[in-house]
């Protein structure tokens, strides 16, 4: 808390000292609904920057994939079509396996472990992003991932042939290994996908199920706690290089506050949204022992596959995480 207080003071001082310069408007695409806690955190970050820089930089958020869809946000920022934006980090796993460090089943299954895993992976991820003309500002985890189904499922055998909504390589692979049929769909579009039977299941947080009111189509949520994937906010490195030192300090301060607040919200939102699913009529609870054990076996396969794909740097991340335990 002391750190935060001094950070706030430093941010305020920098802002006061900043000479008025040309005002810039930064559009910030975000993929998830405005009501989602990541979007709420992003909106506060935007306000913090706008106020802190005395309007020198005004950030305007565009949630729900309204400016760019999730899958297009990183490219838009790399190419300067938007200066800043938020994306699911593991969405880039198809470019480089390292981006999938946070979607390894059953490696880090709690908020505390997810923070340790992020500490271990952050230098590699920052370096990867920097090579792609992107500067990392902050990152916030989603709540633990569980399995949603229309019908009751108690074993992996019962998943055979079910249409499964995926959101990254790891979720598609999970579907394949459980005999389900993956179809990649952005979170902003899942309510419709479930309503029309394009998919009847997914792995996600209680938060996304709550945001998208999935109880209108699905009936079961199994608290598998498979992993906690992360969203991150990035800025185009050329744009960043052109920002005054005073404004850079404000933005860094606001990013640190956003990361802190976002983590807090993610934790608060976990219980709240699971209750929301129950109130919507869903059955929410742990998976059967058999299903849990079978999923853990699949997790071992996926861990080995990831370690092979991510090479020495991936292994170093997992080793650093394990030795922080
Ligand atoms: N919600 C996002 C990613 C992880 C999560 O909990 C989604 O389902 O797209």
């Amino acid at each position: 808390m002391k750190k935060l207080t001094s950070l706030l003071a430093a941010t305020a001082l920098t802002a006061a000292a900043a000479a008025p310069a040309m005002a810039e408007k930064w559009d910030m695409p975000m993929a998830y609904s405005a009501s989602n806690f990541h979007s709420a955190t992003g909106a506060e970050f935007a306000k913090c920057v706008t106020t802190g820089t005395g309007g020198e930089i005004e950030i305007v958020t565009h949630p729900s994939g309204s400016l760019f869809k999730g899958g297009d946000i990183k490219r838009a920022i790399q190419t300067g079509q938007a200066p800043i934006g938020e994306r699911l980090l593991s969405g880039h796993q198809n470019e480089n396996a390292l981006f999938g460090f946070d979607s390894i089943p059953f490696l880090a299954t709690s908020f505390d472990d997810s923070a340790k895993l992020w500490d271990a992976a952050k230098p590699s991820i920052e370096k990867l992003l920097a090579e792609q003309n992107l500067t990392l500002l902050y990152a916030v985890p989603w709540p633990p991932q569980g399995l949603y189904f229309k019908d009751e499922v108690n074993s992996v055998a019962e998943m055979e042939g079910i249409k499964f909504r995926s959101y990254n390589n790891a979720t598609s692979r999970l579907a394949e290994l459980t005999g389900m049929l993956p179809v990649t769909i952005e979170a902003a579009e899942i309510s419709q996908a479930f309503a029309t039977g394009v998919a009847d299941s997914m792995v996600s947080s209680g938060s996304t199920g709550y945001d998208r009111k999935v109880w209108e189509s699905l009936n079961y949520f199994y608290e598998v706690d498979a992993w906690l994937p992360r969203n991150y906010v990035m800025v185009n490195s050329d744009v960043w290089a052109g920002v005054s030192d005073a404004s850079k300090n404000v933005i860094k301060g606001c990013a640190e506050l956003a990361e802190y607040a976002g983590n807090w919200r993610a934790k608060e939102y976990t219980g709240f949204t699971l209750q929301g699913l129950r109130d919507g009529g869903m059955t929410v609870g742990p998976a059967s022992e058999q299903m849990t054990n079978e999923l853990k076996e699949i997790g071992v396969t996926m861990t080995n596959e990831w370690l092979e794909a991510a090479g020495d740097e991936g292994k170093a991340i997992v080793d650093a995480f394990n030795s922080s335990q």
Side-chain angles (χ1 to χ4, degrees):
M1 206 54 217
K2 188 153 170 276
K3 192 172 158 214
L4 269 180
T5 316
S6 56
L7 185 73
L8 270 173
T11 305
L13 283 178
T14 319
M22 278 231 304
E24 275 180 47
K25 181 175 156 231
W26 286 7
D27 286 311
M28 178 169 165
M30 306 185 83
Y32 301 93
S33 60
S35 62
N36 178 266
F37 73 94
H38 285 292
S39 306
T41 302
E44 276 177 15
F45 165 74
K47 216 189 294 166
C48 177
V49 170
T50 305
T51 311
T53 63
E56 188 179 314
I57 294 171
E58 181 196 0
I59 299 185
V60 179
T61 54
H62 300 271
S64 297
S66 57
L67 194 58
F68 291 98
K69 286 189 193 304
D72 299 329
I73 289 176
K74 174 159 163 276
R75 177 135 300 275
I77 297 161
Q78 273 178 286
T79 56
Q81 293 173 75
I84 190 169
E86 183 194 59
R87 171 68 175 141
L88 180 76
L89 193 50
S90 58
H92 314 318
Q93 200 178 350
N94 52 351
E95 290 175 23
N96 188 318
L98 283 177
F99 283 122
F101 75 92
D102 66 13
S103 301
I104 301 172
F106 308 113
L107 178 63
T109 60
S110 66
F111 280 103
D112 282 353
D113 280 356
S114 151
K116 286 180 191 157
L117 182 58
W118 176 232
D119 283 345
K122 193 175 168 185
S124 299
I125 297 299
E126 273 187 312
K127 184 165 70 92
L128 262 184
L129 291 172
E131 286 163 6
Q132 302 185 357
N133 203 34
L134 296 168
T135 301
L136 173 74
L137 289 181
Y138 70 85
V140 172
W142 287 90
Q145 304 291 290
L147 280 164
Y148 287 87
F149 290 101
K150 191 171 195 140
D151 301 317
E152 188 176 342
V153 171
N154 290 308
S155 68
V156 166
E158 289 171 40
M159 298 178 195
E160 182 75 37
I162 294 178
K163 286 177 271 176
F164 180 89
R165 174 261 167 172
S166 61
Y167 63 71
N168 64 9
N169 279 21
T171 53
S172 297
R173 186 69 185 131
L174 179 70
E176 281 169 14
L177 290 168
T178 51
M180 295 194 277
L181 310 171
V183 43
T184 303
I185 303 168
E186 297 272 352
E189 280 144 28
I190 59 176
S191 311
Q192 200 184 347
F194 291 135
T196 55
V198 170
D200 294 317
S201 66
M202 69 171 171
V203 62
S204 192
S205 56
S207 154
T208 288
Y210 177 82
D211 289 337
R212 307 315 302 155
K213 297 189 171 50
V214 300
W215 55 83
E216 290 174 357
S217 306
L218 306 180
N219 301 307
Y220 291 87
F221 180 75
Y222 297 103
E223 295 171 89
V224 173
D225 293 351
W227 63 80
L228 289 79
R230 230 157 244 275
N231 277 7
Y232 74 107
V233 170
M234 73 202 104
V235 60
N236 175 293
S237 296
D238 298 328
V239 171
W240 183 244
V243 173
S244 69
D245 284 348
S247 289
K248 269 190 186 142
N249 284 338
V250 172
I251 295 171
K252 284 189 213 156
C254 293
E256 209 165 319
L257 288 174
E259 188 162 295
Y260 181 87
N263 269 280
W264 184 84
R265 280 201 182 96
K267 289 173 197 169
E268 287 291 299
Y269 218 45
T270 302
F272 171 79
T273 54
L274 291 183
Q275 188 54 43
L277 296 180
R278 284 190 193 96
D279 293 346
M282 294 185 74
T283 303
V284 175
S288 72
E289 205 183 316
Q290 181 184 348
M291 187 155 114
T292 304
N293 291 338
E294 290 169 342
L295 288 171
K296 293 226 158 112
E297 265 173 50
I298 288 170
V300 172
T301 304
M302 287 179 64
T303 305
N304 290 335
E305 287 177 354
W306 186 83
L307 283 169
E308 197 168 310
D312 290 346
E313 206 166 347
K315 187 174 175 310
I317 292 172
V318 172
D319 287 349
F321 166 71
N322 284 333
S323 64
S324 71
Q325 292 299 90

